[in-house]
């Protein structure tokens, strides 16, 4: 059992350190350096942690979960929720990589993973999406009696009353009341309307916050293209194909049917693209994201389903074919831009200090004004590129990626 002994501060075991080095991590990022001592100290304290996209928040909370598990007890001890199955699967890959030299047992709480007949999960760490997690807890397939840590990745999204908030609260309300559970919230964004609720959800938390002007990383250069009309956006996207495939690219659309339509059309015209959205079935979604992760597809046309958290280092370009709007989150909202989703979308590139490019397509006064609002809210300039001059475009982009 020597390998399970904690060091004198009660921090990581040598087995976890081995896992961390095996992942190629030699020194902590700023958020890891700040958050880890707070996350790992005893008695456990809640945490609300904010840090820009791609700065290594996952490793911080995964290390906390692994550190708090007693591997001699075969019961769930840490739960982690994420907004999409793609992100849950990615988080799990970090748990298994970091826990490679431990005896950690893991299980998913995502759709179509467990047979309906499953009666009990004995895994130490369960990662999933809120609806499925709540269902497994309600049916007592997950025994909550030994849960010590509860993590919400993309916490502002998970707590949003217009989205996943209800399901997330259901999960929290089923946690044991016999002992304290450490609640950990992480995100790159905590808009004002969820800040107060976050503090209620994770009371007396240590807080690490960002200022408004720090929200997105400087290594992402932001551009826009003035298209003549909505149809012209398609032509521009096609003219960018060479550039999109220099590395890998993600194209974000507002609607599933737009993602399908442009991918079908581009495919018919001889371009190789993939499309992913929430209307596809689970197995298909897994296969599509895995192919993209492996670099077999270079262009992924999608919706907000993968706007958050997805970490694919080779992605050096993000295109906002449609700008994100508030009414995608809240059906009653008007057509204001969704600044948080914008920050997360462009954050799919420029990961962990790498360079990246984002391009917004605007096509009329309304979309131009929406972009202007995003520019104001983030305090970062968005530079115009001419749509008719592909050479200038290529030059500018290559320079930005150097
Ligand atoms: N200490 C480290 N040294 C080297 N690479 C690291 C380190 N910590 C994390 N990384 C790598 O940085 C990348 C980004 O990390 P991660 O996905 O955790 O970012 P994030 O902060 O959760 O971003 P987002 O807000 O987009 O979810 C990953 O590829 C991860 O493996």
């Amino acid at each position: 059992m020597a390998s399970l002994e904690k060091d004198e501060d009660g921090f990581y075991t040598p087995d976890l350190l081995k896992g961390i080095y095996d992942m190629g991590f030699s020194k902590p990022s700023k958020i890891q350096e700040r958050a880890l001592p707070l996350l790992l100290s005893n008695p456990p304290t809640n945490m609300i942690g904010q840090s820009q996209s791609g700065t290594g928040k996952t490793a911080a909370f995964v290390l906390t979960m692994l550190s708090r598990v007693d591997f001699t007890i075969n019961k769930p001890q840490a739960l982690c929720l994420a907004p999409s199955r793609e992100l849950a699967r990615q988080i799990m890959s970090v748990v298994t990589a970091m826990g490679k030299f431990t005896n950690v047992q893991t299980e998913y709480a995502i759709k179509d993973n467990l047979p309906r007949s499953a009666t009990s999960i004995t895994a130490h760490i369960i990662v999933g999406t809120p609806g499925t997690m709540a269902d497994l807890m309600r049916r007592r397939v997950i025994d909550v009696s030994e849960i010590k840590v509860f993590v919400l990745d993309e916490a502002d999204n998970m707590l949003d009353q217009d989205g996943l908030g209800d399901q997330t609260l259901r999960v929290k309300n089923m946690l044991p009341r016999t002992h304290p559970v450490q609640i950990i919230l992480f995100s790159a964004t905590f808009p004002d309307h969820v800040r107060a609720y976050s503090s209620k959800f994770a009371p007396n938390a240590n807080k690490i916050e960002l200022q408004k002007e720090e929200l997105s990383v400087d290594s992402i250069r932001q551009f826009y293209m003035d298209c003549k009309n909505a149809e012209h956006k398609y032509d521009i996207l096609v003219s960018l194909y060479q550039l999109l495939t220099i590395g890998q690219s993600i194209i974000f659309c507002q609607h599933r049917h737009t993602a399908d339509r442009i991918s079908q059309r581009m495919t018919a015209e001889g371009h190789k693209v993939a499309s992913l959205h929430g209307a596809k079935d689970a197995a298909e979604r897994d296969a599509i994201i895995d192919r993209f992760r492996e670099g077999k597809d270079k262009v992924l046309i999608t919706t907000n389903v993968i706007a958050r958290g997805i970490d694919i280092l080779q992605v050096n370009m993000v295109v906002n074919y449609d700008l994100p709007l508030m009414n995608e989150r809240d059906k009653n909202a008007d057509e204001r831009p969704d600044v948080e989703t914008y920050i997360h979308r462009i954050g799919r590139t420029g990961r962990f200090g790498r360079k990246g490019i984002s391009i917004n397509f605007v096509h009329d006064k309304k979309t131009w004004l929406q972009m202007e609002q995003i520019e104001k809210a983030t305090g970062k300039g968005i530079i115009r590129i001419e749509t008719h001059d592909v050479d200038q475009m290529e030059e500018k982009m290559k320079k930005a990626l150097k």
Side-chain angles (χ1 to χ4, degrees), residues 338-349:
D338 179 350
V339 177
E340 282 76 37
T341 301
Y342 178 86
I343 289 166
H344 289 277
R345 280 185 180 184
I346 68 168
R348 293 320 96 215
T349 184

Side-chain angles (χ1 to χ4, degrees), residues 200-213:
K200 245 177 82 185
F201 195 92
N204 307 315
N206 287 311
K207 289 184 183 165
I208 298 174
E209 294 176 340
L210 288 178
Q211 300 301 314
K212 268 212 167 70
E213 58 284 359

Side-chain angles (χ1 to χ4, degrees), residues 287-325:
I288 294 166
I289 195 79
D290 290 349
R291 278 183 61 80
F292 187 64
R293 225 177 250 293
E294 289 158 18
K296 289 179 183 154
D297 286 314
K298 299 214 176 255
V299 180
L300 184 64
I301 304 176
T302 187
T303 59
N304 283 341
V305 70
I306 61 155
R308 285 172 174 258
I310 294 303
D311 177 62
I312 299 173
L313 301 177
Q314 317 84 275
V315 171
N316 54 12
M317 212 179 284
V318 166
V319 176
N320 284 310
Y321 191 88
D322 302 313
L323 290 173
L325 300 179

Side-chain angles (χ1 to χ4, degrees), residues 129-381:
T129 46
T132 308
M133 187 78 85
D135 182 54
L136 292 169
M137 290 166 89
R138 186 185 53 79
R139 294 194 287 119
R140 298 186 197 285
V141 178
I142 296 175
D143 170 355
V144 299
S145 62
E146 292 291 331
I147 304 272
K148 303 180 183 92
V149 191
F150 179 40
V151 178
L152 298 186
D153 193 14
E154 310 300 341
D156 57 325
N157 190 212
M158 306 301 296
L159 295 174
D160 199 326
Q161 308 286 308
D162 297 311
L164 299 163
D166 286 351
Q167 300 287 14
T168 304
L169 186 60
R170 275 182 71 207
V171 171
K172 184 182 178 227
N173 287 339
M174 287 187 271
L175 293 176
R177 288 167 204 273
T178 45
H179 60 263
V181 174
Q182 183 180 22
I183 299 176
I184 299 171
L185 311 183
F186 267 114
S187 184
T189 52
F190 279 96
D192 292 341
H193 70 277
V194 294
R195 253 176 218 275
Y197 180 46
S198 303
S199 302
K200 245 177 82 185
F201 195 92
N204 307 315
N206 287 311
K207 289 184 183 165
I208 298 174
E209 294 176 340
L210 288 178
Q211 300 301 314
K212 268 212 167 70
E213 58 284 359
E214 300 175 305
L215 283 174
S216 68
V217 291
D218 288 324
S219 58
I220 306 168
R221 295 287 304 276
Q222 300 182 52
F223 297 100
Y224 77 94
M225 291 179 142
D226 230 332
C227 305
K228 291 186 198 121
N229 49 46
E231 179 56 24
H232 190 219
K233 296 201 290 188
Y234 177 79
D235 301 332
I236 297 300
L237 184 66
V238 171
S239 76
L240 286 178
Y241 186 78
Q242 291 296 334
L243 292 174
L244 298 175
T245 50
I246 294 176
Q248 282 180 249
S249 314
I250 303 181
I251 321 298
F252 286 104
C253 306
Q254 182 170 11
H255 300 294
R256 294 161 174 182
H257 61 80
T258 315
D260 277 339
R261 188 173 46 82
I262 60 181
S263 71
Q264 279 158 10
R265 198 166 154 195
M266 284 181 84
T267 306
E269 289 170 15
H271 298 294
K272 199 165 177 303
V273 300
S275 92
L276 174 64
H277 53 67
K280 298 195 185 258
D281 71 35
E284 198 182 355
R285 281 172 67 166
D286 293 353
I288 294 166
I289 195 79
D290 290 349
R291 278 183 61 80
F292 187 64
R293 225 177 250 293
E294 289 158 18
K296 289 179 183 154
D297 286 314
K298 299 214 176 255
V299 180
L300 184 64
I301 304 176
T302 187
T303 59
N304 283 341
V305 70
I306 61 155
R308 285 172 174 258
I310 294 303
D311 177 62
I312 299 173
L313 301 177
Q314 317 84 275
V315 171
N316 54 12
M317 212 179 284
V318 166
V319 176
N320 284 310
Y321 191 88
D322 302 313
L323 290 173
L325 300 179
M326 287 304 288
N327 63 9
E328 290 166 58
R329 274 179 22 192
D330 171 2
K331 298 287 170 275
N332 301 315
D334 53 26
E335 295 212 311
R336 270 176 302 142
D338 179 350
V339 177
E340 282 76 37
T341 301
Y342 178 86
I343 289 166
H344 289 277
R345 280 185 180 184
I346 68 168
R348 293 320 96 215
T349 184
R351 314 275 305 158
F352 214 76
R354 288 168 182 76
K355 295 217 162 135
I357 285 178
S358 71
I359 307 173
N360 302 314
F361 287 179
V362 295
H363 69 278
D364 56 13
K365 183 97 194 269
K366 190 167 80 182
T367 48
W368 193 86
L369 287 172
Q370 287 162 342
M371 188 184 71
E372 201 187 30
Q373 275 175 271
I374 292 174
E375 195 174 20
K376 264 203 197 116
T378 58
K380 297 267 154 72

